[in-house]
Amino acid sequence: MGVTLSYVVKRIIFSIAIVLGISIITYVFIYLAPGDPAYVWAGRPRGPLASEAIAKARVELGLDQPIYVQFLLHVLRFFSGNWGLSIRFKQSVFSLVMRNFASTLELLLVSFITSIPVGLFLGIYSSLYRGSRVDAAINSLSIVLSNTPRFWIGLAMLLAFTSLNVPTYGRISDSFRGELVERVGLYLVDSLLQGRLDIFLDVFTRIIPPALALSLYPIGAIARVTRISLSEALQEEFVREAVSLGLPRKTVVYGYALRGLIPSLVQATGLFFSYSLIDAMAVEYVFGREGLGSLLVKAIPANDFPLITAALVIVTLVYVVTNTAADIVQALVNPRVTMQ
Amino acid sequence: MVLEASIKSIDLSIGYEYDYEVLWVVNSINIFVWRNTTYCIIGESGCGKSTLGNAIAGLLPTYAYTNGYLEVEERVVVRGDETNYNGVRGRIVTRIPQDPSSALNPYVTIGEQLVKVIKHHYGAGGNPLGKARELLKLVKLPLEVIDYYPHELSGGMKQRAAIALALAPTPKVIVADEPTSSLDAYLRGVVAGLLKRVQRELNLTLVFITHDIALASTICDYIAVMYAGTIVEEGAACKVLRNPLHPYTQLLLKAIPKLGSREILSTIPGSPPSPTSYPEGCRFRPRCPVGFNECYKAPKLIEFEPQHKVSCWRYAQ
């Protein structure tokens, strides 16, 4: 419908520019930050030969050159697909980031698959019964939910489940780790592809508590956004006209009022999703799961610039993708909008 | 043509909650609208015209309070504080809103909107697309409009499409709530003429709400003049317009510009009172040029001559 090729090209150029900007900013900030990546790269040496080792590491990392050369090299390598080695982990940044991103993505997908319908239901219900006690209850619940500290809920859940002897720590049981063949990177999918239901159940029970802890914020936020915008849309003249024409309540709410809200709801949900990507940091840490958040936590103290940049670029790309998705949905739903 | 009541109200009052009190926006109204006629409700803004129209069309908000009795096409819709519009909306009454172009769903083509309404009321078997085409023909729109989105139409075409949409459930009563206020003078006449023609051709009852007395005079059979939630004068259009009795009606008629006239256009000083502070007695008293002591008591609507009622103490004898 309303999406043209030039729009796609524009979006791609725009995303490249954003990624470039993000890498400049992170690089500069890491450069200015205290700490020395060469020290970490050299293996935190001590003793009489330490300064020599650090100087050698500095040359290896190219840190002896002026910053613009460093940065140019970094960006050129980055865009040519060579993301280099992590300074702290001495592993390929690409595989590190992808493995952790898959873990986070799996967690967020499970959490959003539950929170989107629940949030929408609460929001629609409370705006249809606006002013009633149910509405007041839902509204206060959503405020509480979206402001509960996730790490605290996570800790409480971890303690509760552990005391019930339900294993929730980590992403997968250690005994299964060797048996699982990673294909997609999402363990839930991989275990099913392998046909191992026992691994699937193990992964599933471990992902539910952190996913629940993470879904509190989106549930509350989606419910509030839906409530406010649907209450407004129900007052629109064409919605009231649909009532006057005798159309049933369901058609009026879902076919008329909610339809115009889809783009903004997609946009808001995308925003909450990207926000949760960083928010997952604490929850992942509490539950001992690998993930982008915990990866960043480990990378920042080591001034691990290749890893930090790559992780932030992934986060940025998720932002760009969700925003683009919202734009495209807008163009599909609203005939007055074309993406050029 | 059998003359029967299409809309009948007895002491109908409608109010809204305001600061834990009920503000009565429409007060004890008795109207009687014959079938197949055009009934105009005129008055300044804020006189309760739209609220009355919404009550007839079943579009009162949930927080509205009602009192009295209202009957539309032999269906009791308001009795005391109970309202029941089930099966009345669409099949019996539809409404054309103040800005008809906003009544069209911006996300769906005109044809789809018409078909959706026709399908809901008559099922998919009755050739809804054909009926939609007939409706477009009736309001003199080209047939290709069926595939257009509302934003692709001009203002006048949107009006026609909105009228077609209001006619889609084949209602018996149409409430047109200032349908022309967003149009220029030329389109105003065209749309009013179209409504009148449709009313005659389809034998509808048209309730036409407007503040434009000149427009009302061209299309309506009966006129009710509303002021501050009450009807101050009511009757056959020719009688009310030729021989206005209530000072408010007289002043309204003086405020119409006449072509070629060199008279200075008069205005009515002040503005209608808000429902929070209705004056005691006759509500027009503070603005009335001919008020006297009797006006501190509330006047009743009395019959001055056949088909002409007025609510003013000057005619009480």
Side-chain angles (χ1 to χ4, degrees), chain B residues 38-109:
Chain B
T38 305
Y39 189 89
C40 273
I41 303 173
I42 59 175
E44 282 169 276
S45 317
C47 284
K49 296 173 306 203
S50 292
T51 301
L52 181 59
N54 285 345
I56 296 169
L59 289 175
L60 288 176
T62 46
Y63 48 86
Y65 287 82
T66 55
N67 206 353
Y69 174 86
L70 175 68
E71 185 188 289
V72 179
E73 291 286 330
E74 287 163 2
R75 302 277 291 264
V76 181
V77 291
V78 176
R79 175 174 277 155
D81 54 0
E82 277 171 41
T83 56
N84 177 17
Y85 289 96
N86 284 340
V88 174
R89 293 190 194 104
R91 271 295 172 90
I92 293 179
V93 194
T94 56
R95 187 191 64 143
I96 299 173
Q98 226 147 30
D99 177 9
S101 56
S102 67
L104 301 170
N105 187 344
Y107 307 113
V108 182
T109 59

Side-chain angles (χ1 to χ4, degrees), chain A residues 163-227:
Chain A
S163 63
L164 292 171
N165 275 329
V166 181
T168 49
Y169 192 77
R171 196 179 168 194
I172 184 170
S173 154
D174 285 336
S175 52
F176 288 138
R177 193 174 280 279
E179 294 177 41
L180 187 75
V181 184
E182 284 189 39
R183 292 191 188 116
V184 190
L186 309 177
Y187 286 1
L188 285 175
V189 182
D190 284 333
S191 59
L192 283 182
L193 284 179
Q194 216 175 331
R196 291 286 299 267
L197 214 61
D198 51 341
I199 301 186
F200 177 80
L201 283 177
D202 176 64
V203 174
F204 193 66
T205 48
R206 281 163 199 270
I207 206 168
I208 287 297
L212 276 183
L214 263 182
S215 65
L216 297 184
Y217 173 75
I219 285 177
I222 291 173
R224 287 167 73 188
V225 169
T226 313
R227 175 181 181 266

Side-chain angles (χ1 to χ4, degrees), chain A:
Chain A
M1 238 149 101
V3 183
T4 57
L5 184 71
S6 72
Y7 168 75
V8 177
V9 173
K10 259 187 215 168
R11 263 287 149 154
I12 290 171
I13 294 172
F14 175 68
S15 341
I16 291 175
I18 283 192
V19 167
L20 203 67
I22 286 290
S23 39
I24 293 178
I25 292 169
T26 29
Y27 200 90
V28 168
F29 273 96
I30 296 164
Y31 185 84
L32 294 175
D36 187 1
Y39 172 67
V40 181
W41 181 252
R44 303 177 199 266
R46 288 174 185 206
L49 291 177
S51 55
E52 200 179 307
I54 292 173
K56 209 175 158 199
R58 185 159 287 134
V59 177
E60 268 179 55
L61 291 174
L63 294 176
D64 53 337
Q65 279 156 24
I67 182 171
Y68 58 91
V69 180
Q70 284 179 39
F71 181 71
L72 206 66
L73 278 173
H74 175 68
V75 167
L76 283 178
R77 276 201 217 125
F78 191 85
F79 279 96
S80 63
N82 173 15
W83 289 13
L85 286 182
S86 155
I87 290 172
R88 172 163 179 182
F89 298 100
K90 303 215 169 159
Q91 291 174 26
S92 150
V93 166
F94 187 81
S95 65
L96 259 179
V97 164
M98 283 307 153
R99 199 174 68 230
N100 285 283
F101 178 61
S103 167
T104 302
L105 195 66
E106 189 174 36
L107 181 64
L108 285 188
L109 285 180
V110 172
S111 122
F112 272 76
I113 283 169
T114 52
S115 57
I116 291 172
V118 173
L120 275 179
F121 172 79
L122 292 179
I124 292 172
Y125 198 83
S126 73
S127 84
L128 288 184
Y129 296 92
R130 206 155 71 128
S132 69
R133 280 192 194 147
V134 185
D135 171 39
I138 291 178
N139 204 22
S140 10
L141 178 77
S142 63
I143 291 172
V144 170
L145 283 185
S146 51
N147 292 303
T148 312
R150 265 71 70 191
F151 68 90
W152 183 81
I153 285 285
L155 265 177
M157 276 186 179
L158 182 73
L159 285 175
F161 279 103
T162 313
S163 63
L164 292 171
N165 275 329
V166 181
T168 49
Y169 192 77
R171 196 179 168 194
I172 184 170
S173 154
D174 285 336
S175 52
F176 288 138
R177 193 174 280 279
E179 294 177 41
L180 187 75
V181 184
E182 284 189 39
R183 292 191 188 116
V184 190
L186 309 177
Y187 286 1
L188 285 175
V189 182
D190 284 333
S191 59
L192 283 182
L193 284 179
Q194 216 175 331
R196 291 286 299 267
L197 214 61
D198 51 341
I199 301 186
F200 177 80
L201 283 177
D202 176 64
V203 174
F204 193 66
T205 48
R206 281 163 199 270
I207 206 168
I208 287 297
L212 276 183
L214 263 182
S215 65
L216 297 184
Y217 173 75
I219 285 177
I222 291 173
R224 287 167 73 188
V225 169
T226 313
R227 175 181 181 266
I228 293 166
S229 44
L230 185 61
S231 304
E232 260 171 35
L234 285 174
Q235 296 300 316
E236 292 234 23
E237 200 62 74
F238 73 88
V239 177
R240 296 185 59 200
E241 184 66 10
V243 175
S244 144
L245 292 172
L247 291 175
R249 186 191 174 98
K250 244 187 202 161
T251 317
V252 172
V253 172
Y254 296 100
Y256 282 72
L258 207 59
R259 184 166 177 155
L261 301 181
I262 294 171
S264 53
L265 288 179
V266 170
Q267 180 107 45
T269 311
L271 215 67
F272 301 145
F273 189 86
S274 326
Y275 177 69
S276 297
L277 213 60
I278 298 298
D279 203 35
M281 210 184 282
V283 175
E284 280 165 353
Y285 188 77
V286 166
F287 282 92
R289 299 171 62 87
E290 54 184 10
L292 265 194
S294 47
L295 189 71
L296 269 174
V297 171
K298 287 172 200 154
I300 289 168
N303 287 41
D304 192 344
F305 60 90
L307 191 54
I308 297 173
T309 335
L312 287 182
V313 163
I314 293 290
V315 175
T316 315
L317 282 179
V318 173
Y319 267 96
V320 172
V321 166
T322 49
N323 271 327
T324 314
D327 279 358
I328 289 171
V329 168
Q330 169 90 35
L332 291 179
V333 168
N334 195 339
R336 287 169 295 186
V337 175
T338 42
M339 295 295 163
Q340 292 177 336

Side-chain angles (χ1 to χ4, degrees), chain B:
Chain B
M1 195 163 73
V2 190
L3 282 179
E4 280 169 66
S6 172
I7 302 164
K8 199 164 89 181
S9 80
I10 300 167
D11 282 334
L12 178 72
S13 300
I14 302 154
Y16 301 113
E17 200 178 297
Y18 179 82
D19 269 357
Y20 302 103
E21 266 182 76
V22 181
L23 281 185
W24 297 100
V25 177
V26 168
N27 293 73
S28 304
I29 276 187
N30 295 293
I31 55 170
F32 191 92
V33 182
W34 298 103
R35 243 175 225 170
N36 308 338
T37 55
T38 305
Y39 189 89
C40 273
I41 303 173
I42 59 175
E44 282 169 276
S45 317
C47 284
K49 296 173 306 203
S50 292
T51 301
L52 181 59
N54 285 345
I56 296 169
L59 289 175
L60 288 176
T62 46
Y63 48 86
Y65 287 82
T66 55
N67 206 353
Y69 174 86
L70 175 68
E71 185 188 289
V72 179
E73 291 286 330
E74 287 163 2
R75 302 277 291 264
V76 181
V77 291
V78 176
R79 175 174 277 155
D81 54 0
E82 277 171 41
T83 56
N84 177 17
Y85 289 96
N86 284 340
V88 174
R89 293 190 194 104
R91 271 295 172 90
I92 293 179
V93 194
T94 56
R95 187 191 64 143
I96 299 173
Q98 226 147 30
D99 177 9
S101 56
S102 67
L104 301 170
N105 187 344
Y107 307 113
V108 182
T109 59
I110 303 292
E112 251 180 274
Q113 299 189 36
L114 288 170
V115 166
K116 198 181 240 169
V117 174
I118 295 168
K119 257 191 196 162
H120 172 66
H121 287 285
Y122 295 98
N127 185 18
L129 202 64
K131 278 191 182 146
R133 287 213 182 92
E134 271 169 39
L135 283 169
L136 289 183
K137 218 181 282 171
L138 185 72
V139 296
K140 299 241 164 86
L141 274 176
L143 283 184
E144 61 259 29
V145 167
I146 227 163
D147 294 320
Y148 283 13
Y149 286 99
H151 70 278
E152 294 167 321
L153 301 179
S154 71
M157 288 167 98
K158 272 191 219 167
Q159 304 274 351
R160 286 164 191 271
I163 293 172
L165 192 63
L167 292 172
T170 58
K172 294 178 182 148
V173 179
I174 287 191
V175 178
D177 188 353
E178 306 210 19
T180 55
S181 56
S182 59
L183 297 177
D184 58 51
Y186 168 70
L187 275 176
R188 212 171 274 184
V190 172
V191 167
L194 171 69
L195 278 173
K196 182 69 187 168
R197 183 171 61 79
V198 166
Q199 182 259 320
R200 286 224 180 99
E201 277 177 23
L202 302 179
N203 290 330
L204 299 170
T205 307
L206 176 64
V207 177
F208 194 87
I209 300 170
T210 182
H211 55 249
D212 186 344
I213 203 165
L215 187 73
S217 67
T218 60
I219 68 162
C220 60
D221 306 317
Y222 293 91
I223 283 186
V225 181
M226 266 188 99
Y227 184 78
T230 55
I231 289 181
V232 294
E233 186 164 0
E234 188 201 16
C238 50
K239 292 194 176 167
V240 174
L241 294 170
R242 283 210 197 115
N243 181 21
L245 297 173
H246 197 277
Y248 181 58
T249 321
Q250 291 167 353
L251 286 168
L252 274 182
L253 282 168
K254 267 191 204 154
I256 309 173
K258 285 181 206 73
L259 196 66
S261 160
R262 297 187 140 256
E263 239 175 87
I264 292 170
L265 213 55
S266 69
T267 55
I268 311 176
S271 56
S274 95
T276 49
S277 56
Y278 281 144
E280 230 175 280
C282 174
R283 287 176 179 174
F284 190 56
R285 176 176 49 80
R287 297 169 77 190
C288 185
V290 292
F292 56 107
N293 281 344
E294 205 75 356
C295 297
Y296 286 90
K297 284 183 283 175
K300 283 203 178 83
L301 200 64
I302 51 158
E303 191 155 23
F304 177 77
E305 53 184 327
Q307 295 199 338
H308 196 171
K309 292 178 188 166
V310 66
S311 151
C312 182
W313 285 114
R314 296 192 301 153
Y315 307 98
Q317 290 81 41

